[in-house]
C-alpha cells in the first residue's frame, strides 16, 4: 500500500492505495466520483478522460500512485462556482450533444482540454481531437456542434420547428 | 414561430444536467453493503467437451467465497427463447438448452465455464486462474453453409443437425416461380450482412441482492426492459415468484438492442446471492462484452428480382442463411423471420414476394436483435438488388424506384403486413431537393480532377415499428404480449409522476413524455416527472426496443391521461356546481362553457385528495389512472436517403462527402431528439457499411474482441456539419395510435448501409471498374482488391 495525496477538483485528498490501483478505480471506488466511466479495457473509448495537471489523460492508463501530488480535474468539478453548467456543459445540452450520457463526461473533459489549448478550433480539428473518445449514440454530429458553439463560433441551430 | 412547449417543441433534455455533471447513476455506480464480486471463467475455445473441472486449489485462495460450475445449476432452468418459429414443414424450431453455466460442453469462445465469487474482483480473477479445466477440443463450425452439410460437427449433440428452422413465408412458391419464368429481366445478387456487435458504451453490469428477511431478491441490471427480465428470470430460469423479485435498470448507457435480452450473468448473480446470502456484483469488461453480449445481423443471402418489359417489379425471392450462434438468445428466432421477412416488400408494389430463411447453429456468440433487427437486413438486400437491376437495365435508379413505389394506402403487402400511411414520392422529392442532384456531375468532375472517384448512392426504406398487436404476434409464436403500460399519478398539489413501462437509455423519455401530458392538461412540463426502470414502481410494461416507446407506451400514457381528464372534469363539475358535459379544460383551467366560472388544475387535484367537500358517493377520492395499450398494427416509418462518396482508387479509402436523409416519422414530439436519434442511427449504419465487422477464424476464435480490432466509427469517419442534412418534414401521421407517431430510433441504421454501398459501387463504375458488389464493411482493403481484381 502507498499513501497518495492529490488535489481532486480543488479539494485535497489523502488515501492509502495498492500500487496497482488504477486512477479510474481510485476515483470511482475510493472517492465515489462515479462520473468518470469505464467503457473499455484497452484505453480506446475515452469515457474515463480526466485532467491531470491540466493535461487530458485517460484515467484507465495511469495508476493512482502516479497522480501523487497532482492537480486532478474530473467531470464533478466542471460546473461553474454557483453549481450551474459551465459553457461547455451548457453547449452540450443546448445542442443535444449527448443521449445515454455514458461517454459524455469524457467528451466534456476532452472538449475542455481542446478549447484550453485551441480556443477557436476548426471543425476538422474538433473531429481529430475526438479520435480517442467513442460515442455510440449521437453520431458525433451534435457533439462537434456543441464544442464549436462552446468555442464561441456560430453553428447551425438544432431542430426548432 | 417554433413551439417552446408541449408536443412539437425542441425542448432541451432535463436528464442532461445529471449526465453532464457526473451525477448519473449507472448500474456499475451501485454498490450494495458487503457485496461480493464474481468473475466468470470463460471458454477460450469455440467447441469442446469439458472433461473435468478442478476448483479445489482456487477455492482455497484468499477472499474466495464460493466457486460455481455447471453442476450447481442442475435443476435450474436454462435461458429461454421468447419466440417459437415454425418450420415450413410444420415442425417447431429446435430449442437446445442454454444453461447459465456450461454443462458438459462449451459451444463458443466466451461460454462461461465457472464463476468465482470473492470479496474483491481482483481475488476472484486471480482465483479463476487457478481453476484447472480440462477441455477436449472438438472441431468447430463457423461457416453457415458448412454447418448444414452432412458430416459437419454438431453444435448440439442432442439435435439431428445444425438447422434450427427452415422458414418460408409470403407469396405462393409456384406463382412466384411463374413470375420469374415470364420475366423480361431477372437480376440476382449474393450478399452478406456482416456480423456486428452493438457496443453500447456502458458495458453490461448485474448486481444481485438477496434479502433473507422477506425472501426477496433485487437485481440491478443494465436492461432495456426490467419487467420482461423479471418474468423470464423468475418464471423460467430460477423459479422465483415474480412478487419476490424486483428488477431495477437505472440510468443505462445505451442499448441498441443488446440489452433487451435476458443474460446468464443476470440469472447467475441473482441465484448466487441467494446461495451465499450476500450481494454479488458482476461488471463486464469490454473484451468480455464482445464475447457475451448478443451479436447482430450475420445473414448470407441470395436475392432475385424479376421485372417485366416495362421495368415493373413482378417478383422478389430470397434465400437467407441466418446465424443463430451457439444458443438461441431471447428474441433471436424472430429477427430473421417476422422482423425481416415481413419487410421484404419494401416500398414497392411487387405482386410476388417469397422469403426463405434457414436459421443455423454455429460455434459463435448468440446473435439477436441489433438496431433495426431484421429490417436493415431486408432493406439492404432489396435496395442493393434494385440498384444492380437499374445498372443492368441502363435506367436511372431513382426513376426505377419511383416507378415501382406503392402510392395508395392502406396497402396490403404479399408478406402479411398492411402499411397504413406513407408518401414515398414526397420523401424521395425531399431527398432530391436537399441533395442538389442537379449539380452532381459538376461535383464528380471536381473529384476526378483530384484523382478521386465520386459516386452517388440512393436508397428507400420502410420499417415496421412498435411491434404488435399481442393477439397477432401470439399466433406467430411470440411468448410475450407486446402492449405497454402507463400510470399517471397526480399528487394533491397537482404535480404528476408518470410511471411508464418504456425504458429510457438515451432516448430522452424524461423530457419527451412530459411534453405530451403537459400538452393534454395545459400545465407546465416542470410539474411532470417520468418514472421508469424499476419493476417495483412501474406498471407491467414491455420496455424499449423496436422504436416502440412513444408509439406504444406514449399511447398508453395518452389513454391514462384521458382517464385523468375525464375524472378531473367530474370533480370540477362538482366544484363549479355545473354539469359535467359543460366542463372544458384549457391551459390548466376547468371552466363552464359560456361562463366565466372556472377552477384551476391544482384546486381540482387538491379536492381529489382532501375530499372534505366531495361527492364521495359518486366519485372515488384520488386521481391516479393506469392504461394498458395494445396497438392494432405496427407503425410504418419510411424514408429516402442519399449520399455521395469519394473513393481514392490508389488506396481504396472511402470518404462520405455528403449525406441526406428524408424521413417520415409521422407526428414528431421533440424534433431535436428525433434528429439526434437519426444521427446516431446513421452513424451505426455508416459504421456497418465502412468499418465494423465481427470476425471469427475458421476455428471459431473471435478475432475482433476489443476496440483494437473492432473498428468503431469515430468523429472523423462521419460527414462534416455543412454536408449532412437530416429532414423529417414529410409527415404522414399513423392512423391507429392517438398521437399519430411512428418511431425514429432505427431509421438511420436501416437506411444508411445500402446508401453507402450503392454510392461506392457507383463511384467505382464511374471509374470504369466493372465492380457489381462488395460485401460490407466496404473497407479500403476490400475496395482496393475489387478495383485491382
Amino acid at each position: 500500500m502507498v499513501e497518495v495525496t492529490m488535489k481532486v477538483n480543488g479539494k485535497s485528498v489523502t488515501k492509502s492505495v495498492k500500487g496497482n490501483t488504477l486512477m479510474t478505480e481510485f476515483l470511482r471506488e475510493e472517492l465515489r466520483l462515479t462520473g468518470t466511466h469505464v467503457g473499455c479495457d484497452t484505453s480506446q473509448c475515452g469515457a474515463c478522460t480526466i485532467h491531470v495537471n491540466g493535461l487530458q489523460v485517460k484515467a484507465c492508463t495511469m495508476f493512482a500512485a502516479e497522480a501523487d501530488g497532482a492537480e486532478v480535474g474530473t467531470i464533478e468539478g466542471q460546473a461553474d462556482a454557483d453549481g450551474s453548467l459551465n459553457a461547455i456543459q451548457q453547449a452540450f445540452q443546448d445542442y443535444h450533444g449527448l443521449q445515454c450520457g455514458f461517454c459524455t463526461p469524457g467528451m466534456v473533459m476532452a472538449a475542455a482540454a481542446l478549447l484550453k489549448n485551441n480556443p477557436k478550433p476548426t471543425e476538422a480539428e474538433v473531429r481529430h481531437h475526438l479520435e480517442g473518445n467513442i460515442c455510440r449514440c449521437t453520431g458525433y454530429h451534435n457533439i462537434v456542434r456543441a464544442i464549436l458553439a462552446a468555442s464561441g463560433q456560430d453553428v447551425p441551430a438544432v431542430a426548432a420547428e | 414561430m417554433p413551439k417552446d412547449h408541449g408536443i412539437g417543441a425542441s425542448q432541451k433534455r432535463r436528464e442532461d444536467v445529471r449526465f453532464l455533471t457526473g451525477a448519473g447513476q449507472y448500474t456499475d455506480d451501485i454498490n450494495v453493503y458487503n457485496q461480493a464480486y464474481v468473475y466468470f471463467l470463460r471458454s477460450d475455445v469455440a467447441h469442446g467437451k469439458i472433461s473435468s473441472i478442478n476448483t479445489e486449489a482456487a477455492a482455497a485462495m484468499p477472499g474466495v467465497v464460493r466457486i460455481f460450475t455447471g453442476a450447481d445449476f442442475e435443476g435450474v432452468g436454462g435461458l429461454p427463447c421468447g419466440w417459437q418459429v415454425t418450420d415450413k414443414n410444420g415442425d417447431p424450431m429446435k430449442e437446445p438448452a442454454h444453461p447459465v453455466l456450461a454443462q458438459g460442453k462449451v459451444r463458443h469462445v466466451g461460454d462461461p465455464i465457472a464463476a468465482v465469487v470473492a470479496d474483491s474482483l481482483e481475488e476472484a480473477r486471480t482465483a479463476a486462474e487457478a481453476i484447472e479445466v480440462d477441455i477436449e477440443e472438438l472441431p468447430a463450425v463457423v461457416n453457415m453453409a458448412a454447418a448444414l452439410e452432412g458430416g459437419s460437427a454438431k453444435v448440439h449433440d442432442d439435435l439431428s443437425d445444425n438447422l434450427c428452422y427452415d422458414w418460408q413465408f409470403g407469396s405462393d412458391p409456384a406463382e412466384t416461380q411463374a413470375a420469374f419464368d415470364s420475366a423480361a429481366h431477372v437480376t440476382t445478387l449474393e450478399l452478406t450482412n456482416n456480423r456486428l456487435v452493438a457496443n453500447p458504451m456502458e458495458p453490461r453490469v448485474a448486481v444481485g441482492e438477496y434479502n433473507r428477511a422477506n425472501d426477496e431478491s433485487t437485481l440491478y441490471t443494465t436492461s432495456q426492459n426490467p419487467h420482461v427480465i423479471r418474468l423470464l428470470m423468475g418464471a423460467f430460469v430460477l423459479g422465483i415468484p415474480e412478487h419476490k423479485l424486483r428488477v431495477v435498470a437505472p440510468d443505462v448507457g445505451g442499448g441498441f438492442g443488446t440489452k433487451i435480452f435476458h443474460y446468464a450473468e443476470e440469472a447467475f448473480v441473482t441465484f448466487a446471492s441467494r446461495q451465499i446470502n450476500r450481494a454479488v456484483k458482476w461488471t463486464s469488461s469490454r473484451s468480455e462484452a464482445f464475447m457475451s453480449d448478443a451479436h447482430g445481423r450475420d445473414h448470407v443471402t441470395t436475392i432475385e428480382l424479376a421485372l417485366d418489359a416495362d421495368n415493373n417489379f413482378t417478383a422478389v425471392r430470397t434465400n437467407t442463411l441466418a446465424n443463430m450462434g451457439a444458443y438461441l438468445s431471447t428474441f433471436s428466432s424472430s429477427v430473421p423471420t417476422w422482423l425481416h421477412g415481413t419487410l421484404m416488400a419494401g416500398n414497392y408494389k411487387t405482386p410476388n414476394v417469397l422469403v426463405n430463411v434457414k436459421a443455423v447453429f454455429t460455434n459463435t456468440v448468440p446473435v439477436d436483435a441489433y438496431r433495426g433487427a431484421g429490417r436493415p437486413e431486408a432493406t439492404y438486400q432489396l435496395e442493393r438488388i434494385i440498384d444492380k437491376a437499374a445498372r443492368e437495365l441502363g435506367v436511372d435508379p431513382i426513376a426505377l424506384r419511383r416507378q415501382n413505389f406503392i402510392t395508395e394506402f392502406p396497402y396490403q403487402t404479399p408478406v402479411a403486413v398492411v402499411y397504413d400511411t406513407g408518401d414515398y414520392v414526397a420523401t424521395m422529392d425531399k431527398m432530391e431537393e436537399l441533395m442538389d442532384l442537379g449539380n452532381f456531375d459538376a461535383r464528380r468532375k471536381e473529384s476526378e480532377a483530384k484523382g478521386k472517384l465520386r459516386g452517388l448512392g440512393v436508397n428507400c426504406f420502410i420499417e415496421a415499428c412498435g411491434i404488435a398487436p399481442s393477439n397477432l404476434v401470439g399466433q406467430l409464436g411470440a411468448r410475450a404480449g407486446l402492449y405497454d403500460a402507463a400510470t399517471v399519478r397526480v399528487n394533491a398539489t397537482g404535480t404528476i409522476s408518470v410511471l411508464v413501462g418504456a425504458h429510457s437509455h438515451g432516448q430522452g423519455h424524461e423530457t419527451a413524455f412530459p411534453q405530451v401530458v403537459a400538452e393534454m392538461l395545459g400545465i407546465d412540463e416542470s410539474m411532470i416527472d417520468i418514472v421508469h426502470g424499476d419493476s417495483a414502481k412501474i406498471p407491467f410494461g414491455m420496455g424499449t426496443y423496436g422504436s416502440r416507446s412513444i408509439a406504444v407506451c406514449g399511447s398508453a400514457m395518452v389513454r391514462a391521461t384521458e382517464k385523468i381528464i375525464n375524472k378531473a372534469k367530474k370533480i370540477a363539475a362538482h366544484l363549479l356546481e355545473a354539469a359535467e358535459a359543460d366542463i372544458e379544460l384549457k391551459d390548466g383551467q376547468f371552466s363552464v362553457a359560456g361562463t366565466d366560472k372556472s377552477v384551476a388544475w391544482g384546486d381540482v387535484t387538491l379536492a381529489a385528495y382532501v375530499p372534505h367537500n366531495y361527492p364521495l358517493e359518486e366519485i372515488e377520492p384520488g386521481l391516479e389512472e393506469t392504461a394498458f395499450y395494445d396497438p392494432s398494427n405496427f407503425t410504418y416509418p419510411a424514408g429516402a436517403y442519399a449520399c455521395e462518396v469519394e473513393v481514392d482508387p490508389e488506396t481504396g479509402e472511402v470518404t462520405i462527402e455528403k449525406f441526406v436523409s428524408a424521413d417520415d416519422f409521422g407526428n414528431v414530439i421533440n424534433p431535436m431528439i428525433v434528429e439526434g436519434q437519426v444521427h446516431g442511427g446513421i452513424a451505426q449504419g455508416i459504421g456497418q457499411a465502412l468499418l465494423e465487422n465481427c470476425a471469427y477464424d475458421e476455428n471459431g476464435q473471435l478475432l475482433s474482441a476489443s476496440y483494437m480490432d473492432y473498428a468503431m466509427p469515430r468523429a472523423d469517419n462521419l460527414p462534416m456539419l455543412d454536408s449532412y442534412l437530416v429532414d423529417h418534414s414529410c409527415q404522414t401521421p399513423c392512423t391507429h395510435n392517438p398521437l399519430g407517431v411512428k418511431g425514429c430510433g432505427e431509421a438511420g441504421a436501416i437506411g444508411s448501409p445500402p446508401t453507402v454501398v450503392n454510392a461506392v459501387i457507383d463511384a467505382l463504375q464511374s471509374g470504369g471498374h466493372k465492380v457489381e458488389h462488395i460485401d460490407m464493411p466496404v473497407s479500403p482493403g476490400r475496395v482496393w482488391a475489387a478495383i485491382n481484381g
Side-chain angles (χ1 to χ4, degrees):
Chain A
M1 301 291 273
V2 288
E3 192 173 273
V4 294
T5 299
M6 64 185 88
K7 260 194 178 166
V8 180
N9 300 325
K11 194 173 147 195
S12 185
V13 293
T14 300
K15 292 267 181 186
S16 189
V17 299
K18 287 187 192 168
N20 65 353
T21 299
L22 293 172
M23 194 63 187
T24 45
E25 295 166 341
F26 181 74
L27 292 171
R28 290 180 56 78
E29 289 160 27
E30 295 291 327
L31 304 186
R32 300 299 302 148
L33 294 173
T34 55
T36 299
H37 295 147
V38 180
C40 74
D41 34 38
T42 51
S43 295
Q44 303 282 307
C45 81
C48 65
T49 303
I50 60 169
H51 298 162
V52 178
N53 293 330
L55 295 174
Q56 178 180 337
V57 169
K58 288 181 177 174
C60 71
T61 62
M62 71 182 295
F63 295 118
E66 291 179 276
D68 190 35
E71 293 263 357
V72 174
T74 74
I75 189 68
E76 287 87 352
Q78 285 290 298
D80 285 339
D82 64 356
S84 61
L85 299 180
N86 74 15
I88 295 171
Q89 292 168 313
Q90 189 60 56
F92 268 72
Q93 185 185 30
D94 292 347
Y95 289 84
H96 192 31
L98 65 155
Q99 291 180 23
C100 81
F102 193 80
C103 76
T104 306
M107 289 288 180
V108 170
M109 299 307 282
L114 169 68
L115 297 183
K116 188 175 161 216
N117 292 324
N118 183 359
K120 297 272 182 190
T122 64
E123 183 186 341
E125 286 171 336
V126 172
R127 288 183 184 273
H128 184 68
H129 187 81
L130 296 179
E131 272 300 280
N133 291 75
I134 302 174
C135 170
R136 194 58 155 167
C137 293
T138 64
Y140 306 99
H141 191 78
N142 286 339
I143 293 176
V144 172
R145 199 143 61 170
I147 295 172
L148 288 171
S151 76
Q153 305 184 60
D154 287 336
V155 290
V158 293
E161 64 256 47
Chain B
M1 183 69 183
K3 283 184 81 176
D4 61 3
H5 170 84
I7 293 173
S10 282
Q11 284 201 337
K12 292 175 193 172
R13 300 198 326 166
R14 57 173 74 176
E15 49 266 75
D16 289 358
V17 176
R18 69 173 185 273
F19 296 147
L20 282 162
T21 55
Q25 193 182 44
Y26 300 89
T27 309
D28 195 43
D29 302 338
I30 294 172
N31 289 304
V32 178
Y33 175 71
N34 195 32
Q35 73 193 4
Y37 297 79
V38 60
Y39 179 84
F40 290 97
L41 179 67
R42 296 179 183 277
S43 176
D44 56 7
V45 300
H47 194 195
K49 181 173 175 292
I50 303 172
S51 304
S52 66
I53 306 177
N54 185 346
T55 58
E56 204 173 320
M61 290 183 67
V64 173
V65 178
R66 189 161 160 190
I67 298 176
F68 295 82
T69 66
D72 294 296
F73 284 81
E74 282 169 12
V76 174
L79 303 173
C81 181
W83 198 305
Q84 186 184 71
V85 169
T86 304
D87 202 275
K88 68 182 182 188
N89 66 16
D91 292 339
M93 68 182 189
K94 292 167 195 156
E95 288 188 77
H98 186 180
V100 174
L101 295 177
Q103 292 176 343
K105 255 180 117 178
V106 288
R107 296 185 175 85
H108 66 85
V109 168
D111 212 357
I113 299 167
V116 182
V117 179
D119 291 333
S120 72
L121 178 59
E122 190 181 350
E123 287 165 328
R125 194 188 295 127
T126 304
E129 288 170 9
I131 296 176
E132 296 164 19
V133 184
D134 187 6
I135 292 184
E136 180 191 330
E137 195 169 349
L138 299 168
V141 281
V142 179
N143 178 283
M144 287 189 279
L148 295 181
E149 286 170 8
S152 165
K154 281 199 296 181
V155 179
H156 294 277
D157 297 329
D158 52 337
L159 305 183
S160 54
D161 53 31
N162 293 318
L163 181 68
C164 177
Y165 56 75
D166 182 353
W167 181 80
Q168 189 150 297
F169 181 66
S171 302
D172 178 70
E175 287 175 21
T176 306
Q177 182 60 47
F180 276 96
D181 291 342
S182 61
H185 184 85
V186 173
T187 297
T188 303
L189 180 61
E190 288 178 28
L191 46 77
T192 295
N193 204 297
N194 42 328
R195 181 184 279 234
L196 303 175
V197 183
N199 274 309
M201 293 318 300
E202 178 203 32
R204 288 190 297 118
V205 178
V207 185
E209 184 183 23
Y210 177 60
N211 183 343
R212 195 171 54 170
N214 54 16
D215 191 34
E216 285 182 5
S217 287
T218 300
L219 170 67
Y220 301 93
T221 182
T222 46
S223 174
Q224 298 177 221
N225 48 359
H227 268 299
V228 178
I229 300 304
R230 188 181 77 164
L231 173 62
L232 293 174
M233 185 172 78
F236 297 100
V237 187
L238 301 181
I240 301 171
E242 274 186 278
H243 69 290
K244 294 291 185 188
L245 196 51
R246 175 183 172 205
V247 176
V248 186
D251 287 331
V252 170
F256 315 115
T258 206
K259 292 174 182 167
I260 302 172
F261 323 121
H262 177 39
Y263 286 99
E265 296 86 357
E266 295 170 325
F268 178 84
V269 297
T270 307
F271 177 81
S273 67
R274 295 172 77 92
Q275 298 288 310
I276 65 170
N277 193 24
R278 186 172 165 187
V280 177
K281 180 173 187 172
W282 172 70
T283 302
S284 173
S285 70
R286 181 58 63 181
S287 295
E288 206 174 4
F290 276 103
M291 293 186 289
S292 64
D293 290 2
H295 294 174
R297 315 285 193 257
D298 206 350
H299 286 191
V300 176
T301 297
T302 301
I303 179 167
E304 303 160 278
L305 173 66
L307 302 94
D308 68 15
D310 297 322
N311 294 340
N312 296 312
F313 302 162
T314 57
V316 167
R317 184 165 56 195
T318 72
N319 280 285
T320 288
L321 297 181
N323 208 334
M324 295 285 102
Y327 304 101
L328 292 177
S329 176
T330 312
F331 290 108
S332 55
S333 53
S334 66
V335 176
T337 52
W338 300 108
L339 298 180
H340 162 255
T342 50
L343 270 294
M344 278 309 311
N347 308 48
Y348 310 102
K349 49 189 182 210
T350 313
N352 299 285
V353 180
L354 179 61
V355 184
N356 180 269
V357 178
K358 292 184 177 69
V360 186
F361 292 113
T362 60
N363 292 114
T364 60
V365 170
V367 177
D368 207 325
Y370 165 60
R371 203 168 192 164
R375 287 88 87 187
E377 294 91 319
T379 300
Y380 183 64
Q381 294 165 36
L382 199 55
E383 294 295 320
R384 281 290 300 122
I385 199 165
I386 291 170
D387 238 55
K388 185 165 184 256
R391 289 177 197 288
E392 288 172 355
L393 294 164
V395 300
D396 175 44
I398 293 178
L400 182 62
R401 287 177 168 87
R402 284 181 178 276
Q403 174 186 338
N404 285 283
F405 274 160
I406 295 160
T407 52
E408 290 178 8
F409 296 87
Y411 180 81
Q412 169 72 61
T413 73
V415 276
V417 291
V418 180
Y419 303 159
D420 61 336
T421 56
D423 187 343
Y424 310 144
V425 174
T427 49
M428 188 67 113
D429 288 346
K430 176 57 75 175
M431 180 277 285
E432 288 203 43
E433 172 198 329
L434 297 175
M435 200 67 194
D436 183 24
L437 293 183
N439 290 310
F440 173 70
D441 286 342
R443 295 194 291 270
R444 174 173 271 174
K445 285 196 175 67
E446 281 175 31
S447 294
E448 286 169 352
K450 294 185 290 179
K452 305 282 179 66
L453 302 173
R454 185 174 280 250
L456 169 69
V458 300
N459 155 64
C460 297
F461 71 94
I462 175 98
E463 58 169 323
C465 296
I467 183 170
S470 291
N471 53 16
L472 173 65
V473 297
Q475 290 169 29
L476 303 181
R479 288 162 168 160
L482 285 164
Y483 48 82
D484 217 316
T487 296
V488 177
R489 177 175 295 165
V490 183
N491 299 309
T493 52
T495 61
I496 299 172
S497 292
V498 185
L499 321 172
V500 295
H503 185 277
S504 187
H505 33 279
Q507 295 91 342
H509 294 175
E510 291 171 43
T511 302
F513 279 37
Q515 290 180 244
V516 175
V517 177
E519 172 109 5
M520 291 179 73
L521 296 177
I523 62 174
D524 195 84
E525 277 89 350
S526 64
M527 295 173 68
I528 305 162
D529 266 355
I530 297 297
V531 178
H532 73 101
D534 184 343
S535 69
K537 294 180 181 172
I538 60 173
F540 195 106
M542 297 301 289
T544 291
Y545 39 87
S547 296
R548 70 197 310 274
S549 294
I550 200 70
V552 185
C553 189
S555 295
M557 184 175 67
V558 168
R559 293 287 183 244
T561 306
E562 286 168 352
K563 292 183 189 179
I564 291 286
I565 292 171
N566 288 340
K567 183 170 177 184
K569 281 184 174 176
K570 286 189 173 70
I571 301 168
H574 166 72
L575 295 176
L576 294 166
E577 297 177 335
E580 187 189 329
D582 293 337
I583 302 294
E584 293 174 343
L585 170 61
K586 189 165 182 268
D587 297 334
Q589 292 280 325
F590 295 89
S591 55
V592 183
T595 75
D596 60 357
K597 288 170 63 180
S598 72
V599 59
W601 165 253
D603 293 325
V604 170
T605 62
L606 190 66
Y609 285 96
V610 188
H612 295 166
N613 171 23
Y614 194 87
L616 288 167
E617 64 286 356
E618 294 165 34
I619 317 173
E620 279 180 37
L623 198 51
E624 173 172 327
E625 299 287 350
T626 295
F628 285 74
Y629 176 81
D630 201 299
S632 60
N633 192 356
F634 294 90
T635 69
Y636 298 96
Y641 285 18
C643 78
E644 286 176 27
V645 299
E646 217 172 53
V647 178
D648 184 340
E650 297 293 317
T651 63
E653 189 181 2
V654 176
T655 314
I656 295 178
E657 294 293 316
K658 191 171 167 71
F659 201 104
V660 162
S661 66
D663 281 296
D664 174 2
F665 298 131
N667 294 335
V668 164
I669 306 298
N670 184 317
M672 178 192 80
I673 289 175
V674 165
E675 287 194 10
Q677 291 287 307
V678 176
H679 291 149
I682 288 173
Q684 293 187 0
I686 289 174
Q688 173 170 26
L690 295 181
L691 298 162
E692 297 181 40
N693 197 35
C694 182
Y696 281 94
D697 75 7
E698 67 275 16
N699 298 316
Q701 276 301 326
L702 180 55
L703 303 178
S704 51
S706 80
Y707 290 150
M708 314 279 274
D709 312 298
Y710 185 94
M712 291 283 278
R714 313 270 172 158
D716 261 346
N717 299 116
L718 293 152
M720 302 287 270
L721 296 178
D722 62 1
S723 54
Y724 189 10
L725 300 169
V726 170
D727 178 272
H728 51 76
S729 63
C730 301
Q731 299 181 349
T732 59
C734 173
T735 53
H736 55 80
N737 68 47
L739 288 166
V741 293
K742 292 188 172 180
C744 64
E746 296 157 302
I750 297 170
S752 52
T755 312
V756 174
V757 177
N758 287 345
V760 173
I761 300 300
D762 184 57
L764 296 186
Q765 295 204 355
S766 78
H769 305 290
K770 305 280 182 218
V771 178
E772 292 186 333
H773 179 68
I774 304 173
D775 275 325
M776 300 185 289
V778 184
S779 60
R782 288 183 177 184
V783 173
W784 190 91
I787 291 174
N788 294 282

